[in-house]
Amino acid sequence: MWSRRIALGAVLLSLAFVAFLILRDGPVGRAPAERAAAVPRTPVTAPRPHIVSRAVWHADESLVREKPHYTGAARAVFIHHTGHGNRYDCDDAPEMLRSVQSDHVGAEGWDDIGYNFVVDRCGTIYEGRAGGVTRPVRGAHTKGFNTDTVGIAALGTFDAGTPVPRPMLDAIAKVAAWKLAPGIDPRGSVRLVSTNDESLFDKGEAATLHVVSGHRDSYETDCPGDALYGKLPALREQTAALRKAATGRADAASARAAVH
């Protein structure tokens, strides 16, 4: 009787020892932090910056001729300048915007102000064309390439040798980083099809352009001026950095959520 119990105990002890060896040498489960780090990265845009609404700058809504039209998410951004003098008081920017709106409707024959956003030299961002800043409003800023793009205008004139205010550049980068669709690299290029023969590309012709382009890249113009145009390479890098930082924050938040 005792001999059978001793033998059975020896067998059970041997099996336990074998199981220990197998588990010790087997794959180790991931720690919570490791599991979180393995969660696929989801492309995000940068946060929405503060934007002064049309109601605040007193856009003349009676001038608007048609309801807004919408396109797909922004695949490119076109940078412009408005042609104003540069020594304005930033408190006068709303009045200047109303003048731009009146000119775009009256002289140009457009339905509203053409630009989606306007940035002044103090770095204040203004809502341009009506339709909602969070929505993909089709502007009238770049002939042939208003679809799936955003027009950002710098309030002023930036010919060669003209200083471009740092707050203005920072604000442009913030808008571009926020409005470009997720997954778009601001330092890259994009293929867009022209819709207007008056552009540098015939209607129906595909153009490969910078994701962050100057108006002159697609139209016969000096806009946005040599000084601002020369800042575009650095602006692309700054925009990309803002989006990378936003993705990093999103990854960190996902990791914390996975751990808990």
Side-chain angles (χ1 to χ4, degrees):
M1 182 72 172
W2 283 105
S3 61
R4 287 200 300 272
R5 289 181 179 178
I6 292 173
L8 179 59
V11 170
L12 292 175
L13 183 61
S14 298
L15 290 174
F17 182 71
V18 170
F20 167 76
L21 291 177
I22 292 174
L23 290 175
R24 185 189 66 178
D25 294 333
V28 178
R30 288 177 178 169
E34 292 175 319
R35 288 197 298 270
V39 175
R41 171 176 290 192
T42 301
V44 298
T45 65
R48 170 181 168 174
H50 176 71
I51 299 167
V52 177
S53 71
R54 289 169 63 93
V56 171
W57 64 263
H58 299 295
D60 188 347
E61 303 299 350
S62 69
L63 292 177
V64 180
R65 295 177 173 178
E66 288 189 11
K67 293 181 179 180
H69 297 275
Y70 298 98
T71 69
R75 300 169 57 213
V77 168
F78 286 97
I79 308 301
H80 305 256
H81 67 178
T82 64
H84 291 85
N86 297 324
R87 296 186 177 181
Y88 56 85
D89 188 315
C90 289
D91 289 340
D92 294 331
E95 182 180 351
M96 297 166 73
L97 287 179
R98 291 192 293 273
S99 176
V100 173
Q101 182 191 23
S102 178
D103 182 62
H104 282 187
V105 175
E108 300 293 343
W110 300 340
D111 299 330
D112 191 4
I113 188 171
Y115 313 120
N116 297 105
F117 300 92
V118 180
V119 176
D120 71 17
R121 67 185 186 88
C122 295
T124 303
I125 303 166
Y126 294 89
E127 176 185 10
R129 199 171 186 84
V133 295
T134 61
R135 302 186 67 184
V137 179
R138 188 179 73 198
H141 50 85
T142 306
K143 282 188 178 180
F145 298 97
N146 290 311
T147 299
D148 299 347
T149 68
V150 169
I152 306 172
L155 195 61
T157 301
F158 299 98
D159 296 332
T162 304
V164 184
R166 182 75 256 170
M168 173 177 277
L169 292 170
D170 291 343
I172 293 173
K174 289 176 183 178
V175 177
W178 169 55
K179 286 301 290 185
L180 283 170
I184 299 289
D185 185 354
R187 299 162 299 185
S189 60
V190 61
R191 184 178 180 273
L192 301 173
V193 177
S194 174
T195 61
N196 194 316
D197 288 330
E198 293 182 30
S199 76
L200 293 179
F201 304 88
D202 294 336
K203 182 177 180 180
E205 182 180 356
T208 299
L209 301 166
H210 293 290
V211 168
V212 179
S213 284
H215 188 191
R216 65 174 65 176
D217 291 328
S218 65
Y219 188 73
E220 189 65 43
T221 177
D222 291 332
C223 182
D226 288 346
L228 182 50
Y229 190 79
K231 296 291 185 182
L232 294 190
L235 194 62
R236 294 177 189 117
E237 294 291 339
Q238 184 177 358
T239 302
L242 289 172
R243 287 164 73 85
K244 182 178 179 180
T247 300
R249 289 192 293 270
D251 287 347
S254 296
R256 289 193 297 271
V259 169
H260 296 295

